[in-house]
Amino acid sequence: MEGFLLGQIIAGLTRAMLLFIIASGLTFILGVLGVVNMAHGSFYMLGAYLASTIMAYCGMKISGNAFWLAVIFAPIIVALAGGLVEYFGLRRIYYRGEVLAQLILTYAVVLIVADAIRLVWGPEFKLVPRPDFLAGKISFAEITVPYYNLFLIGTGLIIAGVLRLLFYHTKFGKTVRAVSSDREIASTLGINVPRLSTLVFMLGCALAGFGGVLAAPFGALNPTMDISIIIQSFVVVIVGGLGSFGGAIVGALIVGLTDAFGVLIFPRITLVSMYIVMAIILIVRPWGLFGSPLGPLTK
Amino acid sequence: MKHFAERKEWFSGLVLLLWLTLLTAFSSYAFAESPTKPVRLGIMSSFSGTASVLTLRSLDGCKLCVEKTYNGKILGRPIELIVRDDALSPQKAVENFRELNLVHNVDFTLGMISSGAACAVSPIAKKLQKPILYWDSKSPKQIVELGGRYVFRTVSDTYMDVSAVTQVCSKKPWAKYVTISPDYEYGHSVVDLFKQQLGKLKPDAQIIGEHWPKLGEVDFTSYIPGIIKAKPDCLYVGLWGGDGMTFIRQAKPYGLFEKMAVIILNEEDTIYAMGMDFPEGIFMEANYHFNFEDIRANQEYVKAYMEKYGTLPTSHSMYGYVATQFVLEAIKKAKTTDKEKVIDILRGLTLDTVVGPMTIRKYDQQANMPVYVGQTYKSPEYPKHLILKKVGFKRGEEIMMPIEEVKKMRGE
């Protein structure tokens, strides 16, 4: 029985870590720029599809390492695409302070990316092979764990560590936190706020793209995967508290584990178990577990 | 000046409007009785989104039938297809049906994959008195409760599919079952029917677990350890399309497919999509498989299909092909496109199809498409994908809902 519970916990953690990687980008953009990025799921989807193409093209020439090429290059391409959206779109509407304008703009990106992906890759389901060295599994006691699940959990933890280092122990992190708490004062102190905003948006998108690459060999790719992930990512961010990294980790763990155990305990209501937990948390703490009652920019 | 300009615009608008009215009036007059007026078939289904991998095959089958069997012509008139996409939305499907019949004045409408959308279309077909033939979409409800003179279906429904599967189960020594099926109308109906029929055929069988992931789930890892731990003899899978593919590939590393028998409904197309990733020994319900011996007789269909599309025909290609054959043959026999006359012929029509002789039952206008159960295996002849070995077969009339039951449900 204990072995089985462990298996279930690992399943929950896998989902949680994948969600965390994606949601951390969302919460980062939200916290620093105050932008509700509806297109985050689209960048995730773009990352997954780019990974499938990179692996299909390079897999033949450089066998085995094509997965690593996808891990490196797909997020970079996604970040560049995000940079374009920020530079030609969002940058022009930040100072209006209208959330509605941001929503419309990022939603337009959702539609554009979804249709572009249908055009380029077609509407059909696609499967991305798992890299050989991650295709196996380990079995002990009565449970089986595929290597890929362990790889996802490990990667999630590493990303959490790297992000923490980046924000609390580097100059870049300090600058970003300064901009996040007050754009105008940061700007008078000589920080190039517009350039930093573009960088922040690109980094957030890169995280979404990275999540997409990791998710590609895990399930099947289809042009509606953006919507399903964006809803879950928003749940994670809302539960954890807008703009909080620790919140994103805890939120992802709550969503992932609720899902894994909800399936066991209440198989009939798996559709809603995640939202029930979210509702309870929001009733107790309307600003999320690690958020601030005054909003994401006031910490 | 401004005033004048406005008046000028008004005037040119008026001229344009008159011109258009004349043009449409004239063209409809000119084409009304002409022998070159095309026979129009309205084709509607969900050609974008999750289902496209299946629906596009049906459209391929339909086009092949029009071009190959009929040379693009019937009653000496060209055949024209007007294709509309509903993206799985019932509301859009109803709009499409209205548009095809009221604007384009099609002679017959066929298609559909979503049973939810089909349930919305059936009542409209009745109300407008315009016929529809479902080549896919498998809910019994759309025919039994919502059907009537204007609603036909050539594909087997879930009642027939599940019956065939249950009969195979009843011959195997499987006592304990776990089900996993998407949490919506189709998913629940295939599990409910399975429980009902298994209870009749094999009273000692037990369902020891049920799982209801949402439609479009991308991560099944939470479900898999639980299924394995329950140690069922057989796992009954109602997931389809991308969901089915995701489940299979996530369950494979856990060794799930070596630990229990697995039955998957209606997923013959997935074998080709997943290639060699597909596990061996899976039981699969299918209406068609190119390699089944009784279907093999129909080599020219496979050859023509391969020539045109470069891939093997799937169940869904056959759905489109057979449905189109029924409609065109009925028009041919009626010697007119008059809807009421075509409907009269279509009711009770028997045709030789690529899956053997098929008849549309007069009472509820449901056809007796045969249902197979196959098991996947690797064949050296086909290095790119697995193929099916026939393990079960039911002729349509053996498994169709009995007329008495249809009458009872219709309250007649």
Side-chain angles (χ1 to χ4, degrees), chain B residues 8 56 76 83 114 118 124 147 223 232 338:
Chain B
K8 202 173 152 195
L56 292 172
V83 182
S114 154
I124 303 297
Y223 298 91
D338 182 277

Side-chain angles (χ1 to χ4, degrees), chain B residues 357-377:
Chain B
M358 268 176 64
T359 305
I360 292 184
R361 183 161 76 179
K362 214 164 185 172
Y363 180 71
D364 56 358
Q365 307 182 173
Q366 163 71 48
N368 59 342
M369 184 178 279
V371 181
Y372 294 83
V373 179
Q375 198 176 7
T376 54
Y377 74 104

Side-chain angles (χ1 to χ4, degrees), chain A residues 33-103:
Chain A
L33 306 178
V35 171
V36 179
N37 185 16
M38 295 295 290
H40 205 65
S42 309
F43 290 116
Y44 156 83
M45 176 160 78
L46 192 62
Y49 273 90
L50 285 171
S52 81
T53 300
I54 292 175
M55 286 170 73
Y57 273 99
C58 304
M60 292 168 238
K61 291 169 205 144
I62 322 161
S63 61
N65 293 326
F67 179 69
W68 296 119
L69 285 178
V71 163
I72 295 165
F73 287 106
I76 292 179
I77 301 171
V78 173
L80 291 175
L84 289 180
V85 170
E86 203 279 344
Y87 190 81
F88 290 106
L90 281 171
R91 167 169 300 201
R92 279 140 232 280
I93 56 176
Y94 285 139
Y95 302 102
R96 286 213 201 152
E98 284 173 23
V99 179
L100 190 63
Q102 296 169 359
L103 282 181

Side-chain angles (χ1 to χ4, degrees), chain B residues 3 8 31 45 56 118 125 142 166 184 188-189 194 212-213 219 255 258 265 308 340 359 369 384 389 400:
Chain B
H3 189 64
K8 202 173 152 195
F31 282 115
S45 193
L56 292 172
Q142 70 205 61
T166 325
Y184 80 113
H188 280 274
S189 85
F194 180 67
W212 299 104
D219 181 2
E258 288 102 61
L265 285 178
K308 191 161 159 55
E340 297 302 326
T359 305
M369 184 178 279
K384 283 192 182 150
K389 180 172 67 197
M400 287 169 89

Side-chain angles (χ1 to χ4, degrees), chain B residues 156-170:
Chain B
S156 64
D157 63 359
T158 49
Y159 186 91
M160 298 163 75
D161 293 355
V162 175
S163 303
V165 163
T166 325
Q167 280 172 351
V168 167
C169 288
S170 67

Side-chain angles (χ1 to χ4, degrees), chain B residues 27-64:
Chain B
S27 59
S28 58
Y29 169 77
F31 282 115
E33 296 303 325
S34 141
T36 53
K37 182 193 165 203
V39 173
R40 285 182 169 162
L41 298 185
I43 311 289
M44 44 190 263
S45 193
S46 314
F47 294 111
S48 66
T50 310
S52 60
V53 56
L54 309 173
T55 49
L56 292 172
R57 299 294 84 75
S58 299
L59 188 59
D60 287 348
C62 166
K63 285 181 178 160
L64 184 73

Side-chain angles (χ1 to χ4, degrees), chain B residues 379-412:
Chain B
S379 155
E381 265 181 85
Y382 299 95
K384 283 192 182 150
H385 53 78
L386 276 69
I387 59 175
L388 289 179
K389 180 172 67 197
K390 194 169 93 175
V391 293
F393 168 69
K394 287 285 159 190
R395 282 181 295 127
E397 50 274 28
E398 296 176 78
I399 44 179
M400 287 169 89
M401 188 182 282
I403 291 184
E404 300 76 65
E405 204 170 321
V406 180
K407 277 187 175 160
K408 210 167 77 190
M409 290 183 76
R410 283 185 177 177
E412 283 174 6

Side-chain angles (χ1 to χ4, degrees), chain B residues 206-226:
Chain B
Q206 265 183 302
I207 308 278
I208 54 173
E210 288 177 32
H211 298 280
W212 299 104
K214 66 172 188 286
L215 183 63
E217 177 64 78
V218 290
D219 181 2
F220 292 96
T221 44
S222 322
Y223 298 91
I224 295 159

